[in-house]
């Protein structure tokens, strides 16, 4: 199942796991099996989709609830909040469509609109709130399959968190790290590249000097 999903990984610290299990205690048994123990912090290493899929499956269990409806394949466009009305309307368009035709638009109405739509929130923009402020760091993450006999990376498969090295780009410090999933997911390694170089727009700009050094 793991090999069918791609993306990075992250470590959930004990306080994060505690908060998650307080909200959804039914997730604990399954996620404890999926995660890899991180002895240094008592946290768990997860591929990002593990948490996402676990939460999504819990949401799908609400399909039989008449108060819950699912709409997939739609992107938020705007909302209308009439002060004289007790409800708010939100308008969506089909993914990859210009929404010029009414059939490509979806309008929903409710008492509350929750803007849990990510760092580049369309709802935040509609409210006229300032965008999220850059903190000066940029991070790329991913996962790769490593053959056990790989001369360079193979030996790292069993070393846990392993910082590969540091490079300097224009005076900005950058870090290249590899982490593995140990015996639970043989041969799978997740990588992380971070930099404080504001001009870097692609991980190749960070790892290039490292690979050539």
């Amino acid at each position: 199942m793991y090999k069918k999903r791609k993306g990075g990984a992250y470590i959930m610290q004990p306080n994060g796991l505690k908060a998650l299990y307080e909200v959804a205690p039914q997730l604990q048994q399954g996620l404890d099996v999926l995660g890899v123990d991180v002895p240094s912090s008592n946290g768990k290493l997860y591929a990002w989709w593990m948490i996402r899929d676990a939460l999504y499956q819990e949401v799908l269990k609400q399909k039989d609830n008449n108060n819950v409806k699912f709409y997939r394949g739609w992107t938020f466009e705007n909302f209308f909040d009439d002060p004289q009305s007790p409800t708010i309307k939100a308008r969506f368009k089909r993914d990859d469509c210009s929404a010029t035709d009414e059939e490509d638009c979806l309008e929903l109405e409710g008492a509350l609109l929750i803007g849990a739509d990510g760092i580049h929130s369309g709802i935040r923009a509609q409210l006229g709130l300032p965008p999220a402020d850059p903190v000066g760091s940029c991070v790329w993450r991913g996962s790769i399959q490593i053959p056990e006999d790989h001369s360079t990376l193979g030996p790292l498969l069993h070393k846990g968190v392993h910082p590969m090295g540091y490079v300097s780009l224009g005076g900005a410090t950058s870090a290249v790290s590899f982490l593995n999933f140990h015996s639970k997911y043989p041969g799978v390694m997740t990588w992380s590249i971070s930099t404080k170089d504001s001009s870097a727009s692609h991980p190749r700009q960070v790892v290039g000097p490292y690979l050539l050094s």
Side-chain angles (χ1 to χ4, degrees):
M1 183 173 68
Y2 181 91
K3 295 179 181 179
K4 296 180 180 179
R5 296 169 173 84
K6 298 180 180 179
Y10 60 94
I11 295 174
M12 285 198 71
Q13 301 297 346
N15 58 343
L17 290 169
K18 179 182 177 182
L20 176 62
Y21 296 153
E22 286 180 352
V23 174
Q26 65 274 25
L27 297 180
Q28 183 167 359
Q29 183 176 358
L31 289 180
D32 280 350
V33 172
L34 287 174
V36 174
D37 292 333
V38 181
S40 61
S41 68
N42 292 321
K44 292 274 190 179
L45 175 66
Y46 292 99
W48 69 271
W49 55 262
M50 292 175 179
I51 304 294
R52 179 205 65 185
D53 285 8
L55 292 172
Y56 183 57
Q57 290 303 316
E58 287 301 312
V59 172
L60 289 180
K61 292 178 182 178
Q62 301 299 317
K63 276 189 173 181
D64 295 332
N65 187 333
N66 292 330
N67 294 323
V68 178
K69 293 183 178 180
F70 293 86
Y71 300 91
R72 288 181 287 188
W74 297 89
T75 300
F76 172 80
E77 191 175 42
N78 52 42
F79 69 87
F80 310 92
D81 188 13
D82 183 354
Q84 305 302 318
S85 173
T87 62
I88 186 171
K89 295 180 180 179
R91 185 181 176 90
F92 302 81
K93 64 180 180 179
R94 290 190 184 277
D95 292 348
D96 303 323
C97 290
S98 61
T100 55
D101 298 328
E102 283 302 312
E103 64 182 22
D104 290 328
C105 297
L106 172 68
E107 192 170 280
L108 302 176
E109 185 173 356
L112 183 67
L113 176 64
I114 300 175
D117 53 343
I119 189 172
H120 301 295
S121 170
I123 295 176
R124 176 195 284 264
Q126 281 288 307
L127 287 170
L129 298 174
D133 292 328
V135 297
S137 296
C138 185
V139 180
W140 294 272
R141 300 174 185 271
S143 295
I144 51 178
Q145 191 78 28
I146 303 295
E148 288 280 351
D149 59 355
H150 191 284
S151 59
T152 303
L153 299 179
L156 302 179
L157 285 173
H158 307 287
K159 288 190 175 182
V161 178
H162 186 82
M164 290 291 291
Y166 297 88
V167 296
S168 178
L169 293 175
T173 300
S174 302
V176 181
S177 299
F178 283 90
L179 301 86
N180 71 77
F181 285 96
H182 304 280
S183 58
K184 281 193 176 182
Y185 308 98
V188 177
M189 181 174 285
T190 181
W191 54 268
S192 172
I193 299 172
S194 62
T195 183
K196 290 185 177 295
D197 181 8
S198 59
S199 66
S201 59
H202 194 282
R204 287 195 187 95
Q205 293 176 260
V206 180
V207 300
Y210 170 76
L211 296 175
L212 295 175
S213 61

